[in-house]
Amino acid sequence: MREKEIAGELLSYIKKAASPYHAVLEGITMLEEAGFIELDFRKTFCLKPGGKYYTKPFGTTLFAFTIGNQVTNTQQFRLASAHTDHPCLHVKPTAELTSKGYLRVNTEIYGGPILNTWLDRPLSIAGRVALKSENPFAPATKVIRVDKPFLTIPNLAIHMNKEVNKGVELMRQTDMLPLMGVLNDTLNEKSYFIEFLAKELQVEASDILDFDLYVYCAEDGLLLGMNEEFIQSPRLDNLTSCHALLRGMIDGNREDGINIIGLFDNEEIGSETKQGADSALFSMFLEKIYQALGYDRAALNDSILSSFLISMDVAHALHPSKTDKYDPVNYALMNDGVVFKISGNQRYTFDTEAIASMVMLCDKYNIPYKKFVNHSDVIGGGTMGPIISSWLPMKTVDIGIPMLAMHSARELMGIKDQKALVDLATAFFTE
């Protein structure tokens, strides 16, 4: 695929993937169109050589894998991970919060967004809702994405906030509450949000028991720059990686061994959840595969130790106005290609042999790349790489696309870099 074709597919995926639930559902759509078969994570797998499968252990976590035609108890796994969540606002259980006739939505901050970038934008909600059912231990659920923007967080006018351009701290509980509407005779100030939600779902408000809803930036992504060399969009962190791994899994064709991708939730808040990377979930998944193939735990351990993991998450591109925040030589620009993220303190996980393998793969397939290290006085973010490799000891490397405005409501990347990332994922699952 050409750069603009890949960019178009990425932007289409991001538009639909407004929440982690939707990132998984859209991933499933891509996989099923490519012939992947669904497996129930809670049942014994039935696998065949040459098979293509996916499973959804939880609503926001997705695993997909292929079984080579030549499978033995000593084969290698090729694993790659990304995360489905992004920094944003999360709706609180009692969402109604009125102020002088204005209707607002009560929220908390999820992860570490750049708060002021969420002001004065069209916003909406997406996530999952739990409903009454006949079985108390099996509530009905519906995934919802309200496509129309119906929320915004207005800035205070500069006339009343004269120091705003010097930097003003935003209070999370008071300043980050989206405005939904104004009170009128047809609205109940104690239930207007839940009634709106019920209408969108076409259910009774009394049937809604709970919800897991996220406020998302409802602006579409687009190409920009003098020669359309950039992509600006919400949720580039980390849907760029989810898209690349899904495309690489679909297009890769390794004949021997097992290819696997794991798209996890909750990376932005530490991964310490059942659906996050810092759990036994991935290990359980590999064991279920080996049990289905008739191999024991000892064989699984041997394969793990000889396998390879890519932790795929975004990297920091050099900012033209803040070059002093970066290492003087180990930096990356947008459109430089894939970034290998290196940290001697293992905030990004790597080992020299794994880096060397990636370099040779890039050289063979003419994929541009750069090695990145943080400025020694600037601590960068963490990734899932060190977490997963502590559960699954194998050769591991952290990679991603370089980007600006990370954790902003709209982020910026180079159009060439998504193609490089897709090409590397495909090569990884082919070679």
Side-chain angles (χ1 to χ4, degrees):
M1 297 175 70
R2 300 173 61 184
E3 290 168 3
K4 287 197 173 180
E5 290 175 323
I6 290 176
E9 186 178 83
L10 171 66
L11 290 174
S12 176
Y13 175 67
I14 289 174
K15 179 180 174 66
K16 297 171 184 174
S19 77
Y21 296 100
H22 294 87
V24 167
L25 290 177
E26 292 307 315
I28 288 173
T29 297
M30 290 177 64
L31 293 167
E32 288 185 341
E33 289 176 353
F36 282 68
I37 298 170
E38 182 177 12
L39 300 173
D40 188 337
F41 194 82
R42 292 159 181 80
K43 296 180 180 179
T44 300
F45 292 170
C46 180
L47 307 177
K48 297 179 181 179
K52 301 187 294 185
Y53 307 97
Y54 75 88
T55 185
K56 184 179 68 172
F58 300 106
T60 56
T61 300
L62 175 65
F63 298 148
F65 64 105
T66 58
I67 306 290
N69 290 315
Q70 305 169 30
V71 178
T72 70
N73 65 347
T74 59
Q75 100 255 273
Q76 295 180 345
F77 294 109
R78 297 271 176 83
L79 300 101
S81 67
H83 63 88
T84 59
D85 62 323
H86 64 282
C88 60
L89 285 68
H90 186 255
V91 181
K92 291 184 177 180
T94 300
E96 293 83 5
L97 198 61
T98 61
S99 176
K100 306 291 186 181
Y102 287 115
L103 307 180
R104 295 192 291 176
V105 178
N106 196 10
T107 61
E108 61 180 335
I109 302 302
Y110 177 87
I114 303 175
L115 297 181
N116 61 39
T117 66
W118 285 80
L119 305 184
D120 303 325
R121 292 189 183 278
L123 307 173
S124 193
I125 59 167
R128 184 168 67 175
V129 180
L131 305 167
K132 288 180 182 178
S133 71
E134 295 297 322
N135 183 351
F137 290 96
T141 61
K142 284 192 175 185
V143 174
I144 180 174
R145 183 186 71 229
V146 180
D147 290 328
K148 66 176 182 181
F150 71 103
L151 301 171
T152 193
I153 306 173
N155 247 306
L156 182 63
I158 193 169
H159 312 77
M160 303 171 188
N161 194 14
K162 296 185 184 298
E163 302 299 308
V164 65
N165 289 324
K166 296 181 180 179
V168 174
E169 181 180 5
L170 293 170
M171 304 306 295
R172 297 178 175 215
Q173 183 58 65
T174 56
D175 295 325
M176 298 306 296
L177 302 179
L179 178 64
M180 182 173 170
V182 293
L183 191 62
N184 59 45
D185 293 339
T186 66
L187 296 172
N188 186 327
E189 64 179 319
K190 294 184 178 180
S191 59
Y192 57 84
F193 181 82
I194 206 76
E195 289 172 1
F196 171 84
L197 191 59
K199 183 178 179 181
E200 289 292 319
L201 291 169
Q202 298 183 334
V203 301
E204 296 296 324
S206 59
D207 287 339
I208 297 176
L209 302 176
D210 197 27
F211 50 74
D212 182 23
L213 296 175
Y214 299 85
V215 176
Y216 75 92
C217 179
E219 295 173 314
D220 290 347
L222 48 78
L223 302 184
L224 57 74
M226 185 172 61
N227 297 303
E228 295 190 327
E229 61 264 59
F230 302 128
I231 300 172
Q232 187 190 63
S233 175
R235 303 182 289 285
L236 293 178
D237 178 8
N238 187 34
L239 295 185
T240 53
S241 300
C242 292
H243 168 262
L245 292 186
L246 287 162
R247 178 50 56 199
M249 173 60 59
I250 291 167
D251 294 340
N253 56 9
R254 190 162 68 107
E255 284 295 314
D256 58 329
I258 300 175
N259 293 336
I260 298 173
I261 61 171
L263 309 184
F264 294 93
D265 194 8
N266 300 138
E267 189 274 344
E268 297 292 355
I269 56 170
S271 297
E272 293 180 335
T273 62
K274 66 183 185 303
Q275 61 270 16
D278 197 3
S279 73
L281 189 62
F282 218 5
S283 296
M284 290 171 58
F285 173 61
L286 297 184
E287 191 163 2
K288 287 176 71 71
I289 291 176
Y290 256 44
Q291 286 176 341
L293 295 174
Y295 304 138
D296 60 17
R297 181 72 205 193
L300 174 59
N301 289 340
D302 291 344
S303 289
I304 288 173
L305 290 168
S306 62
S307 294
F308 200 115
L309 168 69
I310 286 178
S311 168
M312 192 176 287
D313 203 346
V314 293
H316 296 289
L318 184 74
H319 194 293
S321 300
K322 300 292 182 182
T323 57
D324 59 316
K325 296 290 186 180
Y326 300 79
D327 184 86
V329 290
N330 295 286
Y331 61 84
L333 304 176
M334 291 184 292
N335 288 314
D336 262 355
V338 178
V339 173
F340 303 152
K341 300 154 67 176
I342 299 171
S343 166
N345 294 306
Q346 292 289 318
R347 289 184 65 83
Y348 309 131
T349 191
F350 81 98
D351 57 69
T352 298
E353 188 178 1
I355 292 287
S357 294
M358 288 292 99
V359 168
M360 289 189 288
L361 203 59
C362 287
D363 288 344
K364 180 173 181 177
Y365 288 87
N366 296 314
I367 300 168
Y369 68 89
K370 274 292 186 70
K371 296 178 182 178
F372 171 90
V373 183
N374 279 306
H375 188 291
S376 297
D377 295 315
V378 179
I379 299 175
T383 69
M384 295 185 298
I387 295 170
I388 298 176
S389 62
S390 70
W391 284 90
L392 301 172
M394 63 180 69
K395 289 184 290 186
T396 311
V397 63
D398 258 302
I399 70 173
I401 58 101
M403 63 180 296
L404 292 174
M406 190 183 297
H407 288 200
S408 173
R410 291 180 69 86
E411 299 163 319
L412 187 69
M413 64 174 287
I415 190 172
K416 294 180 180 179
D417 298 329
Q418 189 64 18
K419 182 180 187 304
L421 196 65
V422 168
D423 287 349
L424 183 53
T426 304
F428 180 71
F429 290 130
T430 297
E431 186 66 27

